[in-house]
Amino acid sequence: LFKRVEREADCSRFVSRARVTKIGKPVKMGFAMLPSIALVLVVLATKALGFMPLSLSSRGIKPTPLVLNTMSEDASVQVEPSESSLTYNQTMANGANTAAFQPLSDKVALSTFDITGLDPASIEIVQMETTEVSKQAQDRMFVNMFRGSANYIANHRNTVAVYHIPGGLLDSNDPNLCRDLMNDIALTWLLGMKIVLVVGCRHQIDKRLKDRQTPNGLHVTDQNALRVVKEEAGYVRFEVERQLARALRLHGGTSKENNDGNVVSGNFYSAQPFGILNGVDYMYTGFVRRVEVDKIRQVHNGHDICLLTTLGVSPSGEVFNVDSESLAACVAGALGASKIIFFTEQNILVRSKDHGGQVQHLRVTDARNLLAYNEVEVEKRGIVQLGKKVIEQEPAVADVLRKVGYSNVALDAGVKRAHIIAPTHGSVLQELYTRDGSGTLISRDLYEGIRRATVDDISGICDLIQPLIQAGTLVDRPRARMEQEIDSYYVYTRENLVVACAQLKRFENSFAEIGCLVVSKDYRSQGRGDAMLGYLERICLKNNVKDVFVLSTQTMEWFVERGFDMVDVPRLPPSRQATYNWERNSKIYMKHIDGDRELDASELWWNR
């Protein structure tokens, strides 16, 4: 081996001389020999130290034969591996990485623990440190949030929800907007809601047809426009199917145990022409004639989602362009849906001019007043017509008012609640599964028939409370005293008959007492008592009364179930402490009212 190196060294000296006179083939040969010389020196060094060459593989370090070939064809050097084995230990010396080879005996083998397992010798049980305690405090926020959502999840399970998706969301500049929205809708499906999607394409049509006639905010659809509607309705349908199918697989997995959901679209309703209104022929613009309720329920029974577009077919085979918001309202009413949810195309907020905060809740009567103020009318066939006052405003404002109008149409048809939500990240989940929500809720007037009592109602009130006074459940209230305090009494009437009553007294320090809450035997278990309680709580909230209390000797559990907690006498306002009847020894229950959304949530439980 040394002779071989000496011979190659002579060649190198020849190359050095040739470099001065002529650069050519000898130079190339000389440089080609240098790697061989270096490898020979490495072999000699390792041989002298008693080591052997190594090679690395994905499974560790293993010895391999080393073959050295020179450029000449007549000689080669082969070094066989020794019988010893090596390991490579990474060490730190003087702040820098160094590598050292250490020999192992033949009896010692590399670790054979499974890479997916855990060495039991590396596990210890210790006291929890401050950082872990702090992390648990952060995790507690999630736990509290999840616990708070549990009631909503249980209440919404197996209920029907109709989502209206405007076409503008599908062409948003933010590519994540539609994807996140479909993910959230798929999550509500996973949590047990039966979903109908109505997707519009007004945005896509308006981009292609700039000069469409829109008298009273309703588009005229001629034959040319109908062709465009067909094309764009197909586009939005397949776009939603594509996005939602991905989301359903993401949340439902690939299990065959009824976890997979499909998006089913088809002819689930029939349409008829809108006709001529105020001298304007709307041609192929139509409205819903009939909803195939049984077919949609078959889709829901198959654990699938029903998808509808704005193209409706008449029994004669004609195709009509149906307003998507009108379609959503009609379908929700026909199915008796628990909710109808409208998404705005932009981040729009319904705000109060008085306090500058978001209007989170509207009664249907408040919504009607809002529409009348803005000159928005609902035509007898359930079509919302916008007045000049709205058309002259920003398109986003007109869009929200249109959705408020169709929310009223749905509520009048039997839907319990309507939601108008901006398409922000997670807004659907926040609106449906948290107390504070994210958008504006419109609900039916559950307090219809409740009013302040008059002197004429005293006889009806006495008839209600007299049996309970005789049983000792209520304190006797003389008629003369009731006449003096009649303004603090409220009654629930039906056909001029008092079926429930209650009294609300206000005290200092933002306290109020609810008493004499009685419901007729014939109307119990129908939500009348809950309605009376909710009505009085809303009166307290409107008058900045945050703490409401009751005194009871028999019906304590009823109030506990509705969020009241037992307190001691010192918690009462001072003036009420002075008149507390210690002989009767009534138990005191108090409730703190945070806001409208808390009352909305309580209504959800008793008015499902």
Side-chain angles (χ1 to χ4, degrees):
L1 184 62
F2 275 107
K3 290 181 180 180
R4 180 74 183 192
V5 174
E6 185 177 4
R7 185 167 66 247
E8 291 189 357
D10 292 338
C11 292
S12 297
R13 287 193 294 272
F14 170 76
V15 170
S16 299
R17 291 193 299 270
R19 188 181 295 135
V20 178
T21 57
K22 183 178 179 181
I23 305 298
K25 187 174 182 180
V27 177
K28 295 181 181 179
M29 292 178 61
F31 280 113
M33 297 174 188
L34 292 180
S36 298
I37 298 172
L39 289 174
V40 170
L41 294 176
V42 171
V43 171
L44 293 175
T46 56
K47 197 75 173 179
L49 295 174
F51 294 133
M52 59 173 291
L54 304 175
S55 67
L56 299 179
S57 72
S58 61
R59 297 184 180 273
I61 303 176
K62 63 181 181 180
T64 57
L66 175 64
V67 178
L68 303 178
N69 293 325
T70 63
M71 294 297 298
S72 60
E73 299 177 358
D74 59 345
S76 65
V77 178
Q78 178 169 323
V79 180
E80 296 294 339
S82 65
E83 296 179 357
S84 63
S85 60
L86 304 177
T87 182
Y88 180 84
N89 291 332
Q90 189 79 16
T91 62
M92 298 293 294
N94 299 325
N97 291 332
T98 60
F101 289 97
Q102 297 179 355
L104 291 176
S105 65
D106 294 338
K107 296 181 179 181
V108 179
L110 294 176
S111 174
T112 58
F113 283 114
D114 188 355
I115 60 172
T116 61
L118 191 62
D119 186 356
S122 65
I123 301 175
E124 62 179 353
I125 301 174
V126 298
Q127 186 75 22
M128 189 178 298
E129 298 181 0
T130 306
T131 54
E132 279 82 3
V133 175
S134 176
K135 183 178 182 300
Q136 281 197 344
Q138 295 177 0
D139 294 341
R140 194 175 297 115
M141 297 176 60
F142 166 77
V143 173
N144 293 335
M145 179 275 296
F146 193 75
R147 287 173 177 170
S149 300
N151 286 334
Y152 294 93
I153 295 173
N155 193 272
H156 295 332
R157 187 183 297 120
N158 293 324
T159 62
V160 177
V162 177
Y163 291 94
H164 174 267
I165 302 176
L169 295 185
L170 304 180
D171 290 344
S172 172
N173 294 328
D174 183 3
N176 297 327
L177 181 62
C178 183
R179 183 195 65 187
D180 292 343
L181 179 61
M182 294 303 164
N183 286 341
D184 291 346
I185 292 175
L187 185 54
T188 64
W189 163 83
L190 182 66
L191 292 175
M193 297 186 73
K194 300 177 180 180
I195 296 174
V196 176
L197 287 181
V198 177
V199 57
C201 55
R202 185 184 298 116
H203 172 79
Q204 287 78 9
I205 298 171
D206 289 343
K207 287 199 303 184
R208 295 181 58 178
L209 302 175
K210 302 294 184 180
D211 300 326
R212 295 179 70 191
Q213 285 184 279
T214 56
N216 299 319
L218 188 64
H219 292 291
V220 175
T221 306
D222 56 19
Q223 194 162 5
N224 180 49
L226 182 61
R227 174 181 289 274
V228 175
V229 172
K230 292 178 180 178
E231 295 172 0
E232 297 303 333
Y235 162 73
V236 297
R237 169 194 166 186
F238 287 111
E239 187 66 16
V240 170
E241 284 185 357
R242 177 182 71 85
Q243 294 273 14
L244 194 55
R246 175 199 55 79
L248 291 177
R249 294 298 183 274
L250 176 66
H251 290 293
T254 57
S255 171
K256 296 181 179 180
E257 298 178 359
N258 294 327
N259 287 330
D260 273 352
N262 293 315
V263 184
V264 180
S265 57
N267 192 18
F268 291 102
Y269 72 97
S270 59
Q272 64 187 44
F274 191 77
I276 300 173
L277 182 65
N278 297 327
V280 178
D281 186 0
Y282 286 87
M283 302 185 198
Y284 292 99
T285 299
F287 63 97
V288 177
R289 178 175 180 174
R290 178 183 175 182
V291 178
E292 301 295 338
V293 175
D294 292 336
K295 293 182 180 179
I296 295 177
R297 286 177 177 164
Q298 288 177 4
V299 172
H300 288 160
N301 292 337
H303 202 54
D304 296 326
I305 292 177
C306 182
L307 174 62
L308 305 178
T309 66
T310 59
L311 289 176
V313 181
S314 69
S316 63
E318 292 288 341
V319 179
F320 296 99
N321 177 28
V322 179
D323 186 274
S324 59
E325 288 93 346
S326 173
L327 173 60
C330 291
V331 172
L335 291 173
S338 174
K339 293 180 179 297
I340 182 170
I341 301 165
F342 291 102
F343 293 100
T344 61
E345 293 191 6
Q346 302 179 24
N347 293 336
I348 298 297
L349 179 69
V350 180
R351 188 175 61 186
S352 172
K353 293 182 179 179
D354 296 333
H355 52 75
Q358 181 183 6
V359 177
Q360 294 184 319
H361 179 256
L362 287 174
R363 294 286 164 191
V364 67
T365 52
D366 299 328
R368 291 194 186 104
N369 294 334
L370 178 63
L371 295 175
Y373 176 79
N374 288 279
E375 300 178 0
V376 178
E377 297 181 358
V378 179
E379 196 254 1
K380 62 181 181 180
R381 287 173 288 187
I383 304 298
V384 175
Q385 297 180 345
L386 305 179
K388 293 183 179 179
K389 184 177 180 179
V390 176
I391 296 176
E392 294 173 356
Q393 298 185 41
E394 293 291 331
V397 176
D399 180 60
V400 172
L401 289 174
R402 180 185 292 110
K403 288 173 170 51
V404 172
Y406 283 112
S407 296
N408 273 18
V409 173
L411 294 173
D412 291 340
V415 179
K416 292 181 174 62
R417 295 186 170 199
H419 302 261
I420 300 176
I421 308 175
T424 56
H425 180 69
S427 58
V428 183
L429 303 179
Q430 186 178 351
E431 177 70 11
L432 296 183
Y433 297 105
T434 66
R435 188 189 67 179
D436 295 332
S438 64
T440 297
L441 164 69
I442 305 176
S443 64
R444 290 187 295 179
D445 196 349
L446 305 176
Y447 306 125
E448 186 177 0
I450 302 178
R451 57 174 174 80
R452 191 187 294 270
T454 64
V455 177
D456 296 335
D457 298 316
I458 292 179
S459 297
I461 296 174
C462 290
D463 292 339
L464 277 178
I465 67 176
Q466 194 61 37
L468 296 177
I469 292 175
Q470 294 175 357
T473 305
L474 288 180
V475 178
D476 189 15
R477 288 168 171 78
R479 189 181 184 96
R481 184 179 173 184
M482 292 179 61
E483 291 178 356
Q484 294 175 357
E485 300 176 349
I486 192 61
D487 289 339
S488 64
Y489 282 87
Y490 294 84
V491 293
Y492 197 142
T493 62
R494 183 170 182 177
E495 297 179 356
N496 297 323
L497 177 67
V498 177
V499 298
C501 67
Q503 185 181 21
L504 181 65
K505 289 184 178 181
R506 185 170 181 177
F507 293 88
E508 68 274 13
N509 300 330
S510 298
F511 283 91
E513 179 183 5
I514 295 176
C516 195
L517 180 53
V518 181
V519 179
S520 173
K521 286 184 178 181
D522 298 332
Y523 293 91
R524 291 175 187 172
S525 301
Q526 298 180 17
R528 307 291 182 181
D530 289 292
M532 285 295 298
L533 178 62
Y535 185 82
L536 298 179
E537 288 176 341
R538 289 190 180 277
I539 292 177
C540 292
L541 189 63
K542 192 172 183 180
N543 289 276
N544 296 320
V545 174
K546 299 295 185 180
D547 294 295
V548 183
F549 64 90
V550 297
L551 274 66
S552 178
T553 59
Q554 301 292 326
T555 58
M556 296 85 71
E557 191 65 24
W558 190 88
F559 290 102
V560 171
E561 293 172 356
R562 284 148 183 84
F564 286 77
D565 297 318
M566 190 170 68
V567 299
D568 298 327
V569 175
R571 287 290 305 277
L572 295 175
S575 60
R576 188 63 180 90
Q577 293 182 36
T579 60
Y580 179 77
N581 188 344
W582 291 94
E583 293 182 359
R584 186 171 175 82
N585 196 25
S586 300
K587 291 188 176 182
I588 306 168
Y589 293 87
M590 189 172 292
K591 179 179 180 181
H592 182 77
I593 305 174
D594 288 329
D596 280 331
R597 279 289 177 165
E598 181 181 356
L599 301 180
D600 294 338
S602 63
E603 291 174 6
L604 186 65
W605 314 144
W606 57 265
N607 190 60
R608 181 173 177 176

